[in-house]
């Protein structure tokens, strides 16, 4: 428990490498599989942010089979899919993220929507427009209209999917709504998604500004694993 506190303090200072090492040691000292698995998944997340994808995957492999909590299981699958998207084969990442979203959707719809937007990005890199449309349909079915974060995420997938399906009359207004929702965002990943919307709309100056903000936020946070992507 004290090592977990140490990890939290390190994370607040953007010391993700130190946080991951503290959590890995905490996992080794844990008295039951559930606590060990939870701490290994958290350590993997910090290792990824510190720029260590191989280490993160090794920690996720050690956590596999130990986790039954749906929230922790969702984090495990999301991170695994994200690493595959950034470092591996996009088509495989789309499969991992879509399967994970289906598993967690009944208990954690917001997490499922996050995973579906990254699955759609993977499908875009893989050149599968039909998959993007399908992931947008699934995300829209899970969305709570009152939540602006969820609305933004769903708008990104549905808007881009509509354009790629040849329906700009539907897609363009949705992407403009997404850009309006993104004005106050600080999270680097969300800023990149907003930049993609601007790019599809041909708004190059806005696209460049959003990506620049994403880089600045990633640097401020010391998110080394995220910085090359943004």
């Amino acid at each position: 428990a004290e090592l977990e506190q140490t990890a939290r303090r390190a994370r607040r200072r953007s010391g993700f490498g130190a946080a991951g090492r503290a959590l890995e040691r905490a996992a080794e000292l844990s008295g039951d599989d559930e606590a060990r698995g939870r701490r290994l998944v958290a350590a993997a997340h910090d290792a990824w942010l510190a720029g260590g994808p191989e280490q993160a995957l090794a920690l996720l492999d050690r956590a596999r089979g130990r986790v039954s909590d749906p929230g922790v299981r969702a984090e495990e699958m999301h991170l695994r899919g994200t690493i595959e998207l950034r470092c591996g084969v996009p088509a495989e990442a789309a499969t991992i993220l879509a399967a994970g979203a289906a598993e967690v959707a009944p208990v954690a719809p917001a997490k499922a929507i996050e995973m579906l937007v990254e699955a759609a990005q993977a499908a875009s890199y893989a050149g599968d427009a039909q998959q993007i449309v399908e992931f947008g349909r699934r995300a829209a079915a899970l969305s709570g209209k009152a939540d602006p974060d969820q609305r933004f995420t769903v708008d990104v997938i549905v808007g881009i999917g509509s354009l790629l399906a040849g329906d700009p009359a539907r897609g363009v207004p949705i992407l403009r709504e997404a850009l309006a929702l993104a004005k106050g965002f600080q999270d680097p990943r969300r800023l990149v998604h907003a930049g993609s919307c601007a790019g599809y709309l041909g708004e190059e100056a806005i696209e460049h500004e959003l990506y620049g903000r994403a880089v600045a936020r990633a640097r401020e946070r010391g998110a080394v694993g995220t910085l090359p992507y943004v």
Side-chain angles (χ1 to χ4, degrees), residues 69-95:
D69 179 87
V72 180
R73 174 76 178 136
E75 292 296 337
E76 177 195 344
M77 290 184 290
H78 191 180
L79 181 56
R80 194 179 291 278
T82 298
I83 294 171
E84 186 67 31
L85 170 58
R86 304 282 173 253
C87 306
V89 179
E92 180 63 22
T95 299

Side-chain angles (χ1 to χ4, degrees), residues 2-205:
E2 289 175 7
L3 283 164
E4 229 170 2
Q5 291 284 355
T6 297
R8 277 193 281 271
R9 288 194 295 271
R11 198 178 294 118
R12 285 197 293 270
R13 300 191 305 271
S14 299
F16 298 112
R21 288 190 294 274
L23 283 164
E24 183 177 5
R25 180 60 179 147
E28 291 167 358
L29 296 170
S30 298
D32 64 83
D33 266 2
E34 190 68 33
R36 186 173 294 113
R38 175 178 59 78
R39 287 166 173 152
L40 285 169
V41 171
H45 189 264
D46 284 321
W48 165 244
L49 288 176
E54 296 88 356
Q55 182 187 2
L57 286 173
L59 290 163
L60 289 176
D61 287 342
R62 286 167 59 189
R64 195 196 295 270
R66 300 180 187 275
V67 176
S68 60
D69 179 87
V72 180
R73 174 76 178 136
E75 292 296 337
E76 177 195 344
M77 290 184 290
H78 191 180
L79 181 56
R80 194 179 291 278
T82 298
I83 294 171
E84 186 67 31
L85 170 58
R86 304 282 173 253
C87 306
V89 179
E92 180 63 22
T95 299
I96 293 170
L97 289 161
E103 183 174 326
V104 304
V107 292
K111 171 58 73 175
I113 290 170
E114 286 183 32
M115 294 170 79
L116 285 167
V117 76
E118 293 199 5
Q121 193 172 56
S124 174
Y125 293 165
D128 194 333
Q130 190 54 49
Q131 263 196 332
I132 299 173
V133 175
E134 171 61 18
F135 295 152
R137 184 193 64 75
R138 286 172 53 182
L142 295 170
S143 175
K145 296 296 183 186
D147 186 326
D149 284 348
Q150 285 189 19
R151 274 174 51 210
F152 168 77
T153 305
V154 172
D155 281 353
V156 171
I157 314 175
V158 174
I160 291 173
S162 297
L163 290 187
L164 294 175
D167 189 359
R170 183 187 185 212
V172 167
I174 291 174
L175 292 181
R176 294 207 178 278
E177 180 187 45
L179 279 181
L181 289 168
K183 284 181 180 176
F185 285 172
Q186 298 299 320
D187 180 82
R189 287 188 308 168
R190 287 189 179 280
L191 287 168
V192 168
H193 294 154
S196 296
C197 295
Y200 274 100
L201 290 169
E203 300 282 4
E204 293 180 358

